[in-house]
Amino acid sequence: MPRWEPDAVGRLQAAAIDLFAEQGFERTTVAEIAERAGLTKRTFFNHFADKREALFGPVSERQRELVVAEIAACAGSVSPVDAVLRGLQAAADVMFEERRAAVARRREIIDANPELREREWGKRAALADAIVEALRARGVDSGTALLAAGVGVLVQQMAMRTWAEAADGRPLREHLSDALLSLHAVIGQRSV
Amino acid sequence: MPRWEPDAVGRLQAAAIDLFAEQGFERTTVAEIAERAGLTKRTFFNHFADKREALFGPVSERQRELVVAEIAACAGSVSPVDAVLRGLQAAADVMFEERRAAVARRREIIDANPELREREWGKRAALADAIVEALRARGVDSGTALLAAGVGVLVQQMAMRTWAEAADGRPLREHLSDALLSLHAVIGQRSV
């Protein structure tokens, strides 16, 4: 009989991040992750398809759900790109704001490994797809939805970096709106 | 002794696209691809690490090289986003313009398969990294380089779709500059 496992997912993810940071992603086995978490390999595979998923797993799904719910909740007068920004900000407040140190460590682990980066891009694609669908449900045309979703993914990527690196204590939601302004400025710099 | 293989890579890629379109990506084996191309499995693995790479392989590398070379060749007065656009346009002219039908078929195959989409996002990440590096070499700050590279990847993605779907015969380079204008317009639509 499996023993009672309070927050097995959270413990496995924390153990995975610790071990990946200590000894590298490649050199860490699922058995080691499970052991560190005080759980079994079997429990690991009940929750994650593979070692990579321990870094992504339910976080990405939850983020998508929060972003999509917020986009759907925006008044009809809110523009596509603002609806996307509000969606990302809602997820930021709930999921990331209190976990800056953990997010920064996770960032370093992913950056160091091409396999993890590929998986991260896959998750970004899934987020973009979910945003496209949420915008289409608001009556946004598919071209605009694709661009606004792409903007969202890019702004999220940029803001997570500046927020994790910054020592100013400003919340992630502000880094998100700043990233959108910076993006607008960069695109507006035309030399021809 | 392996026989002489004129353009083995091109033949293997064409055979892979044909078979993936005919019977699906999952159901196609490397042995079938090699047979269709009149080559051996061994030759396949001399050129590609796996089945997925037959859809990407040297195309992605070549695109990166052309984009980066064009960015490096731009005058110092060209803005980051314009340098990126010119890079993408240079690659478009050389690599894609004459191959619209093949590009559209390849698009459908990738869209139908999550594994292929993940790999494509990995290739986009590699393109973004290469653009960041090329911009940094021009003295662009890292934040601007990251955003301009993200814009490039998004504009490329959008333009490839509209160009492949459009019946107007306008060249891909024009779809690329249109996508950049559309992106600017979408980001400029602020409701708050």
Side-chain angles (χ1 to χ4, degrees):
Chain A
M1 285 287 288
R3 60 180 165 166
W4 183 61
E5 292 154 2
D7 191 22
V9 168
R11 280 159 60 195
L12 288 164
Q13 288 192 308
I17 289 181
D18 282 349
L19 287 164
F20 295 163
E22 283 166 29
Q23 60 190 35
F25 172 76
E26 285 91 348
R27 294 184 49 222
T28 301
T29 65
V30 167
E32 288 173 309
I33 297 169
E35 195 192 335
R36 175 74 63 103
L39 298 165
T40 62
K41 258 176 86 168
R42 188 184 179 135
T43 304
F44 181 94
F45 287 115
N46 283 342
H47 295 291
F48 303 104
D50 59 33
K51 198 169 66 166
R52 288 199 284 181
E53 280 303 301
L55 270 183
F56 300 100
V59 174
S60 306
E61 270 120 71
R62 178 114 193 275
Q63 185 193 16
R64 282 201 292 281
E65 286 163 13
L66 290 167
V67 171
V68 162
E70 183 68 23
I71 291 173
C74 284
S77 59
V78 176
S79 76
V81 80
D82 278 312
V84 171
L85 177 62
R86 290 188 192 184
L88 295 172
Q89 288 178 322
D93 292 346
V94 175
M95 294 182 63
F96 303 121
E97 193 53 44
E98 303 300 322
R99 300 179 56 244
R100 207 178 76 148
V103 169
R105 282 181 81 196
R106 185 171 169 279
R107 176 79 269 134
E108 279 174 28
I109 295 167
I110 295 173
D111 281 346
N113 186 282
E115 257 189 272
L116 290 172
R117 295 195 64 207
E118 183 167 286
R119 179 65 56 93
E120 182 174 50
W121 280 88
K123 298 294 180 186
R124 284 186 188 142
L127 177 61
D129 286 351
I131 293 174
V132 166
E133 210 175 305
L135 290 173
R136 299 282 287 136
R138 288 169 67 80
V140 176
D141 70 274
S142 64
T144 300
L146 204 136
L147 290 172
V151 165
V153 167
L154 184 53
V155 159
Q156 171 77 12
Q157 182 191 359
M158 186 69 187
M160 291 293 267
R161 279 183 195 270
T162 58
W163 170 72
E165 285 163 12
D168 60 9
R170 289 169 56 240
L172 177 53
R173 61 161 44 245
E174 289 182 20
H175 284 271
L176 284 162
S177 44
D178 287 355
L180 185 55
L181 291 175
S182 301
L183 182 60
H184 196 216
V186 166
I187 298 181
Q189 278 173 16
R190 304 300 302 272
S191 46
V192 281
Chain B
M1 286 288 288
R3 60 180 165 168
W4 183 62
E5 293 155 2
D7 191 23
V9 168
R11 280 158 62 194
L12 287 164
Q13 288 191 308
I17 290 180
D18 282 348
L19 287 165
F20 294 162
E22 283 167 29
Q23 61 190 34
F25 171 76
E26 285 91 349
R27 294 185 49 223
T28 301
T29 65
V30 167
E32 289 173 308
I33 297 169
E35 195 192 335
R36 176 73 64 101
L39 297 166
T40 62
K41 259 177 85 169
R42 187 184 179 134
T43 304
F44 181 94
F45 286 115
N46 283 340
H47 295 291
F48 303 104
D50 59 34
K51 198 168 68 165
R52 289 199 283 182
E53 280 301 301
L55 269 183
F56 298 100
V59 173
S60 305
E61 269 120 72
R62 178 115 192 275
Q63 185 194 16
R64 281 201 292 281
E65 285 163 14
L66 289 167
V67 170
V68 162
E70 183 68 23
I71 291 173
C74 283
S77 59
V78 176
S79 75
V81 80
D82 279 311
V84 172
L85 177 62
R86 289 188 193 184
L88 295 172
Q89 287 178 323
D93 292 346
V94 174
M95 295 182 62
F96 303 120
E97 193 53 45
E98 303 301 322
R99 301 180 55 244
R100 206 177 75 146
V103 168
R105 282 180 80 196
R106 185 171 169 282
R107 177 80 267 134
E108 280 174 29
I109 295 167
I110 294 173
D111 282 346
N113 186 281
E115 257 189 275
L116 291 172
R117 296 196 64 209
E118 183 166 286
R119 179 66 55 93
E120 182 175 49
W121 280 89
K123 298 294 180 186
R124 283 186 187 142
L127 177 61
D129 286 350
I131 292 174
V132 166
E133 210 175 306
L135 290 173
R136 298 283 287 136
R138 289 170 66 80
V140 175
D141 70 274
S142 64
T144 301
L146 205 137
L147 290 172
V151 165
V153 166
L154 184 53
V155 159
Q156 170 78 12
Q157 181 190 0
M158 186 70 187
M160 290 293 268
R161 279 184 194 270
T162 58
W163 170 72
E165 285 163 13
D168 60 9
R170 289 169 57 240
L172 177 54
R173 61 163 43 245
E174 289 182 20
H175 284 270
L176 284 162
S177 43
D178 287 356
L180 184 55
L181 291 175
S182 301
L183 182 60
H184 195 216
V186 165
I187 297 180
Q189 277 173 17
R190 303 301 301 274
S191 46
V192 280

